[in-house]
Amino acid sequence: DQQVKQNSPSLSVQEGRISILNCDYTNSMFDYFLWYKKYPAEGPTFLISISSIKDKNEDGRFTVFLNKSAKHLSLHIVPSQPGDSAVYFCAASAGQTGANNLFFGTGTRLTVIP
Amino acid sequence: DGGITQSPKYLFRKEGQNVTLSCEQNLNHDAMYWYRQDPGQGLRLIYYSQIVNDFQKGDIAEGYSVSREKKESFPLTVTSAQKNPTAFYLCASSIPIGRGDQPQHFGDGTRLSIL
């Protein structure tokens, strides 16, 4: 059963506009959420994270929003650049339980059109 | 530079053959992980290790085996019992489990195919 879901397999955005990638989860024990970026034939690269005690975390052009009541998080990229074109994975863990195992979504392929 | 090295990048296996995928890290991380990625799917956990000489099964451990004799190394063996081994295999490491606020760092993966 998929505990972390990314319902949009792909997203296309014009360069300079905002990209919004969405992620939903079902396990209320998750308390730490991460976004990874992946290029073909490479491993995922950590992008940004957020703890469940926060509702927003920002790092440069990347902002992650967490809505715990809706069990939903989103990644905003502003402004989008062609180099942002990649597959983005959402992941979650129940870190406070003592396990650092990550549960991954199926990914969203972002294409930024120049 | 510190990082995770997976080798080989591409690997071919004959039917009924065991193969071992290498993963080495110089990040001084205690915890290491193996994931499998199939097309259109997320990463699924095969095995993880919190400390040397200890490892635990993940969600899809059947047909796989691991060892953790050194902190830096966490090799994965895909045995002949794994009926669908064709996939992209990713190794990761992190500081000790229990620190859920620390990200895992990934290698560049090994693509395994059946001849």
Side-chain angles (χ1 to χ4, degrees):
Chain A
D1 186 28
Q2 194 78 19
Q3 297 187 56
V4 178
K5 300 178 183 178
Q6 294 176 258
N7 293 319
S8 297
S10 63
L11 174 68
S12 290
V13 171
Q14 289 285 339
E15 180 178 4
R17 307 294 287 266
I18 184 172
S19 295
I20 300 176
L21 296 93
N22 293 304
C23 179
D24 297 292
Y25 61 96
T26 57
N27 190 340
S28 58
M29 296 298 292
F30 288 149
D31 56 7
Y32 185 58
F33 304 90
L34 309 90
W35 285 95
Y36 283 85
K37 176 180 177 180
K38 185 180 181 300
Y39 294 115
E42 293 184 9
T45 301
F46 170 69
L47 196 57
I48 192 170
S49 62
I50 188 167
S51 164
S52 60
I53 63 173
K54 296 184 177 180
D55 55 18
K56 176 182 174 182
N57 189 28
E58 195 170 351
D59 183 2
R61 297 187 296 116
F62 303 92
T63 303
V64 55
F65 295 92
L66 175 63
N67 182 335
K68 284 181 292 184
S69 61
K71 293 191 176 68
H72 176 85
L73 65 156
S74 61
L75 175 68
H76 293 210
I77 306 173
V78 182
S80 301
Q81 298 174 356
D84 296 329
S85 297
V87 177
Y88 289 78
F89 288 98
C90 170
S93 75
Q96 291 189 11
T97 66
N100 200 22
N101 296 351
L102 290 179
F103 294 84
F104 284 84
T106 53
T108 297
R109 180 178 302 279
L110 173 66
T111 302
V112 180
I113 304 165
Chain B
D1 279 358
I4 300 176
T5 302
Q6 289 188 242
S7 61
K9 196 167 181 67
Y10 300 95
L11 187 58
F12 299 92
R13 192 191 91 168
K14 293 182 180 179
E15 294 282 351
Q17 193 177 49
N18 293 355
V19 289
T20 298
L21 284 61
S22 169
C23 178
E24 304 278 332
Q25 56 99 358
N26 60 5
L27 298 167
N28 200 32
H29 285 167
D30 286 311
M32 296 187 74
Y33 314 79
W34 274 105
Y35 293 89
R36 168 182 172 141
Q37 185 188 16
D38 294 284
Q41 296 194 34
L43 281 66
R44 292 183 292 167
L45 183 65
I46 304 172
Y47 266 98
Y48 66 98
S49 169
Q50 302 183 47
I51 198 169
V52 174
N53 292 323
D54 180 70
F55 47 83
Q56 306 294 328
K57 291 182 179 180
D59 299 324
I60 52 166
E62 185 175 352
Y64 299 97
S65 66
V66 293
S67 63
R68 187 85 188 276
E69 298 177 0
K70 298 187 300 181
K71 185 176 184 177
E72 302 79 16
S73 179
F74 191 40
L76 173 74
T77 297
V78 184
T79 74
S80 57
Q82 171 49 242
K83 298 307 179 188
N84 186 23
T86 297
F88 189 52
Y89 290 86
L90 286 159
C91 179
S93 70
S94 72
I95 67 171
I97 283 178
R99 289 290 305 276
D101 61 342
Q102 295 298 316
Q104 295 179 15
H105 299 268
F106 286 83
D108 281 341
T110 293
R111 184 165 298 282
L112 175 64
S113 302
I114 299 301
L115 292 177

